[in-house]
Amino acid sequence: MEMTPRVEVEEDSDNNKGSMWDLDQKLDQPMDEEAGRLRNIYREKKFSALLLLRLAFQSLGVVYGDLGTSPLYVFYNTFPRGINDSEDVIGALSLIIYSLTLIPLLKYVFIVCKANDNGQGGTFALYSLLCRHAKVRTIPNQHRTDEELTTYSRSTFHEQSFAAKTKRWLERYAFRRSALLILVLVGTCMLIGDGILTPAISVLSASGGIKVNQPKLSNDVVIVVAVVILVGLFSMQHYGTDKVSWLFAPIVLLWFLLIGGIGLFNIWKYDTRVLKAFSPVYIFRYFRRGGRDSWTSLGGIMLSITGTEALFADLSHFPVSAVQLAFTVLVFPCLLLAYSGQAAYLMQNKEHVFDAFYRSIPDRIYWPVFIVATAAAVVASQATISATFSIIKQALALGCFPRVKVVHTSKKFLGQIYIPDINWILMILCICVTAGFKNQSQIGNAYGTAVVIVMLVTTLLMILIMLLVWRCHWILVLLFTGLSLVVECTYFSAVLFKIDQGGWVPLVIAAAFLVIMYVWHYGTLKRYEFEMHSKVSMAWIVGLGPSLGLVRVPGIGLVYTELARGVPRIFSHFITNLPAIHSVVVFVCVKYLPVYTVPEEERFLVKRIGPKNFHMFRCVARYGYKDLHKKDEDFEKKLFDNLFLFVRLETMMEGCSDSDEYSLYGQQTERSREGLMNDNGNTTSSFADPTISSIDSIVQIKSPVHANFTGMSSGQTSSQAWVDQTEFLIKCRDAGVVHIMGNTVVRASRDSRFYKKIAVDYIYAFLRKICRENSVIFNVPHESLLNVGQIFYV
């Protein structure tokens, strides 16, 4: 197998330089044919007409389910007290038409969707883009080698440009970075609220059709039917959407065709005057005639664009062109016909506003439409629940959510995941909302509050994206910002009037999740800062001598740490209390980067720590927010494969310095030539050994490596050395692998303020107690686990 290794240099904070090898290894692993085919399809910039139509059709079931079910409840929430004047119906329809045109069509489908992170959507995808273009991450665990990943794409700009000035303004103060993070967390928490409210209002509205055809049934029966559907929906989540996703697109396609056809029929049958609503004049007349009531009705009209935020969050499986095609050709026209048809029916039947959708259905197709409506509501709920799982996984990867179990439900699609704990929490909250409110009006008020806040957050993040990533002219940024904020702030002001009528629910839910996420992130940040400040210097390690002053027992010790540089305090704490360590020590750092994925061949970075006879290494495993940490057997195997490859490359570099195929530039540092000063001012003699000079040298390979690693052209010395080292590592691995983890307790310092003590000593401690341990996340066998207890005062 031909490999092209790339060698990098890592600089520790104590100014020791060592060779960091980015092992660009072509891993020969079988990949599912369907997954590989789809991945290649999505990477193409141009699509054939037939393929684009097929992808657009498939996107219906994933992306547009929530937006498509809005006609079930919009007019009911717009006129909760009934319709006084038929002209109000035309005014409300005009508002719906222009809301659909400005927000879903222009803003999201044609602008926001292009701000995806390699196909990934949502607030954290926007945040990851900003993190790559500006230093706004609050946890500084990023190294310059991370910027060389193939998925770490970013643009550069001139120092005097407006983008550079914006970047410097954003990076200047820590509170601005914290404010940006809080903004992202607020949007995320509101999307979680969507995951609770969408199933509640969609399923309750769909099941309400029973009462229209059977008026003698009580409202409690509708509630019971909705709860049963919700329990079944959440109970099936562990099977994954991949098992039933082949049904989603046909159901949603049939749904759009039905509501579009029924709308066209109602316009022809009842009143064609509703087509006047395409004139914006009727919006002005609507507000002039209704006053405050018309203004507050915007909270119900805004429900016509709910699902737009989920459209962006569920973007990952389809190209933007397919999503745009599906919306402009099918979704947008059918929604306009559906709302126009309901308005035409209400012009003649104002008293039926409370169940306008089902009342406007022709009697002959009532029950088929009811069945399709219920199925479409389930699909819409499924899409929102899946989006909730996805954003929580992203938040978890970026250190903003407590550790929970994440299960991949599909071998083909990496984005399809299931989080059991969150699933049951969502189900309980969803049932409480459904059974507690018992009507669509109050749930609609709550739903509207969550949606408009998510849209406002997206607009604010898009301002930074347009400045830093797209580098748009400030006039275009001002135009986008002005149009978006005028519409969304108008809706937000209307929603504020309904805070006491159910709009408080998403605020309470979002506040609870925001406290959890921010406190967890704060505790994680403080723990990381404490480890950074208390890490052990290389001088202390070297001062221990070749034997490390310890008993070296057979085996390999994997010391897990959050530090990508330096020796963690847990190691010194361990050997101080137990003066024995394994023959080989590997410091393992698993960290997540602001990228959607890290390719397998670029995942591991390996470095040697100290002289060779110390047998100490550092291995950094890098993941993106869409990646899933594999089981321990697989992770451990890849770690050792990369460790063996590092030793092989290291030996080859030393043995082939005179080869024509290599250009090695060794530059010994002052420390390696003159020795390393210990704490007493004496020189450490171990660095005088010429065999360890490569540890502190900068090594580069100018040309690709085309050598046979089993036989070196420079002679048998380097080959024999590699064989000896490899045999030693294999022997140590066979003797046993022990996973050493820190069981840290974080406490607020005595001089901390009371709110910090509450956050750290109570909330963060409680979250640490109930969340999954690192050993469970990494699937470490209990018999191979060694916990080292310590207390951090932050």
Side-chain angles (χ1 to χ4, degrees), residues 12 14 16 535-550 552 566-573 575 581 585 587 608-611 613-618 676-679 684 686-687:
D12 277 333
D14 54 5
N16 278 323
K535 66 182 180 181
V536 182
S537 66
M538 283 299 302
W540 184 81
I541 295 293
V542 174
L544 294 175
S547 65
L548 297 183
L550 306 169
R552 303 300 292 267
V567 179
R569 186 186 181 189
I570 179 181
F571 181 72
S572 62
H573 186 69
I575 62 178
I581 196 64
V585 177
F587 295 101
R608 185 184 292 275
I609 299 179
N613 53 2
F614 279 23
H615 303 297
M616 298 177 67
F617 303 89
R618 174 178 292 114
L676 184 67
M677 302 297 292
N678 60 19
D679 294 337
T684 307
S686 61
F687 263 86

Side-chain angles (χ1 to χ4, degrees), residues 701-744:
I701 297 179
K702 284 193 172 183
S703 60
V705 179
H706 300 292
N708 184 355
F709 292 131
T710 58
M712 299 273 186
S713 60
S714 60
Q716 296 299 319
T717 303
S718 58
S719 178
Q720 184 60 41
W722 166 70
V723 171
D724 292 342
Q725 291 187 53
T726 304
E727 288 181 351
F728 176 75
L729 290 174
I730 293 175
K731 181 180 178 181
C732 292
R733 184 185 63 180
D734 294 340
V737 178
V738 176
H739 302 259
I740 303 172
M741 292 186 174
N743 188 12
T744 58

Side-chain angles (χ1 to χ4, degrees), residues 18-149:
S19 302
M20 178 72 81
W21 300 66
D22 190 354
L23 305 174
D24 285 352
Q25 176 184 4
K26 311 276 188 202
L27 297 178
D28 186 18
Q29 292 183 335
M31 183 176 64
D32 188 277
E33 293 182 1
E34 180 70 10
R37 183 178 62 81
L38 289 173
R39 183 179 299 174
N40 292 331
I41 288 174
Y42 298 158
R43 285 180 176 174
E44 292 293 331
K45 294 183 179 179
K46 296 182 179 179
F47 301 90
S48 66
L50 185 62
L51 177 59
L52 194 60
L53 285 173
R54 194 187 74 181
L55 292 172
F57 166 72
Q58 292 176 348
S59 70
L60 292 174
V62 177
V63 177
Y64 293 113
D66 191 8
L67 187 64
T69 54
S70 296
L72 287 169
Y73 44 78
V74 168
F75 278 107
Y76 171 74
N77 287 274
T78 302
F79 301 106
R81 299 175 184 175
I83 301 173
N84 298 323
D85 189 345
S86 59
E87 289 295 316
D88 290 342
V89 178
I90 297 180
L93 177 61
S94 186
L95 280 167
I96 292 172
I97 291 172
Y98 284 97
S99 297
L100 285 170
T101 303
L102 292 174
I103 301 300
L105 181 64
L106 296 181
K107 178 186 174 182
Y108 274 88
V109 173
F110 286 104
I111 297 178
V112 176
C113 282
K114 292 185 178 180
N116 60 83
D117 182 17
N118 289 276
Q120 308 298 321
T123 51
F124 268 104
L126 297 178
Y127 183 63
S128 69
L129 278 175
L130 293 175
C131 288
R132 296 206 296 272
H133 288 78
K135 297 178 181 178
V136 294
R137 285 202 70 184
T138 52
I139 299 180
N141 66 342
Q142 200 165 315
H143 191 264
R144 59 185 178 82
T145 54
D146 299 332
E147 299 178 6
E148 299 176 7
L149 290 170

Side-chain angles (χ1 to χ4, degrees), residues 417-435:
I417 58 175
Y418 167 66
I419 305 179
D421 300 332
I422 301 300
N423 181 67
W424 302 123
I425 291 174
L426 292 180
M427 186 189 75
I428 293 172
L429 293 176
C430 190
I431 292 175
C432 290
V433 169
T434 305

Side-chain angles (χ1 to χ4, degrees), residues 1 66 88 117 188 196 365 375 404 506 510 542 589 650 727 740 762:
M1 183 173 62
D66 191 8
D88 290 342
D117 182 17
T188 302
I196 296 169
I365 60 171
V404 290
V542 174
C589 172
E650 183 187 48
E727 288 181 351
I740 303 172
Y762 296 97

